[in-house]
Amino acid sequence: MRLAMGEDFMTGILGYSVADQKRFFDSDGWSWIKGPTEDSDAASQDTVVPFAIDLREHNRWVAFATTGRIQPASFRPALGQVLSTAAQNLHLMPADWECDPVVSQHTVQEWIEKHPLVKLLRRTVKFSNPGRDLDDVRTKMRAMRARRATEEFAAYNSQVLNVDSEAFQDKLQGLETGDTRVQMKSREAQGVDATFDSDTRTDDTRIDDYGKDLERGMDLVLRALVVYADTRPPRAAA
């Protein structure tokens, strides 16, 4: 890992090795099957990705590239484990760090416009890294030593929730900062519910292909993060 741009950002690579067996061609026997094999346990272009972290106190945004083998669902817990282990090794206050997905309001509202017959809304509130939010819900969570708080709103039979109400829209707050998870079910004409889960949605953008050049990959991800951070709402101050 390395610090960049006045120590406001950090870049690095994260990945894993894969046990593999490489077979060489037997030119004497003119056969792949008879060729010698060699075992290896190493990372590949598909199992290592560059990432960047905004270290500023009230930002803490994370950006990373994806590959066929490394997607948001696998990268997020891996980075969280790395951060938690690093904090422990540095004898800092023990904490379970998480890399939460960030979903723009536009993405959520676009889904609601396509599926307005929302019959179920489930909202989970959690402490943001490093867990200094002191709003009413989190104050109660802290008093109870709770890590998460979940509330569910279900419509009456054959009815739907009022998605235009201020109360409903208020429950969507926190998605753009990764502090809230929202799950919704909407009634569809075909009789099959449409579902939305903010944990499976992430804001994304395209970067140039960096091939095997991870140094270039880190620079590209960092540039994308800087642009993104300038457009996002900062985390609330303590």
Side-chain angles (χ1 to χ4, degrees):
M1 296 184 184
R2 66 180 183 184
L3 295 176
M5 298 180 65
E7 300 189 355
D8 283 339
F9 296 85
M10 180 177 71
T11 59
I13 59 174
L14 183 67
Y16 59 94
S17 60
V18 178
D20 195 13
Q21 187 179 75
K22 184 176 182 180
R23 184 178 295 275
F24 299 90
F25 184 73
D26 182 0
S27 57
D28 293 334
W30 201 252
S31 170
W32 282 102
I33 297 177
K34 295 180 180 180
T37 60
E38 180 181 282
D39 293 330
S40 65
D41 189 0
S44 69
Q45 185 176 346
D46 209 34
T47 63
V48 176
V49 295
F51 69 89
I53 301 177
D54 187 338
L55 300 176
R56 291 173 292 182
E57 180 67 18
H58 302 302
N59 285 23
R60 306 294 176 88
W61 305 113
V62 177
F64 58 95
T66 60
T67 68
R69 290 194 178 190
I70 299 182
Q71 294 291 313
S74 56
F75 178 90
R76 287 168 41 215
L79 180 61
Q81 185 175 356
V82 168
L83 294 175
S84 298
T85 301
Q88 183 177 0
N89 291 342
L90 292 172
H91 306 292
L92 300 177
M93 180 170 49
D96 292 325
W97 285 78
E98 295 180 344
C99 182
D100 299 308
V102 175
V103 185
S104 68
Q105 284 287 343
H106 173 75
T107 298
V108 181
Q109 295 300 333
E110 189 176 60
W111 186 90
I112 293 175
E113 289 177 8
K114 292 181 179 179
H115 311 281
L117 304 180
V118 178
K119 65 178 185 179
L120 177 70
L121 169 68
R122 183 179 296 113
R123 178 183 186 241
T124 300
V125 177
K126 46 197 170 184
F127 285 114
S128 63
N129 296 329
R132 295 181 179 178
D133 301 273
L134 294 176
D135 59 25
D136 184 57
V137 174
R138 292 179 179 84
T139 298
K140 293 177 181 178
M141 290 167 60
R142 192 181 297 279
M144 297 174 64
R145 296 180 182 175
R147 185 180 178 188
R148 284 176 170 76
T150 300
E151 51 186 350
E152 184 174 293
F153 302 87
Y156 288 102
N157 290 336
S158 302
Q159 299 295 317
V160 295
L161 300 175
N162 183 0
V163 298
D164 296 321
S165 66
E166 183 179 346
F168 184 96
Q169 293 297 320
D170 182 63
K171 298 303 177 183
L172 304 180
Q173 299 301 313
L175 286 173
E176 289 196 309
T177 51
D179 304 328
T180 301
R181 177 184 183 183
V182 167
Q183 298 164 284
M184 292 181 282
K185 285 186 179 180
S186 177
R187 184 178 293 112
E188 300 297 292
Q190 299 85 352
V192 178
D193 294 339
T195 60
F196 176 93
D197 187 346
S198 61
D199 252 18
T200 63
R201 310 284 183 112
T202 54
D203 285 349
D204 56 29
T205 188
R206 291 186 177 274
I207 62 173
D208 292 337
D209 185 7
Y210 55 86
K212 296 182 180 180
D213 188 349
L214 291 172
E215 287 281 344
R216 172 170 162 75
M218 286 189 287
D219 288 338
L220 291 171
V221 172
L222 175 59
R223 291 178 202 169
L225 177 61
V226 171
V227 172
Y228 184 84
D230 288 341
T231 66
R232 309 312 297 165
R235 294 185 182 276

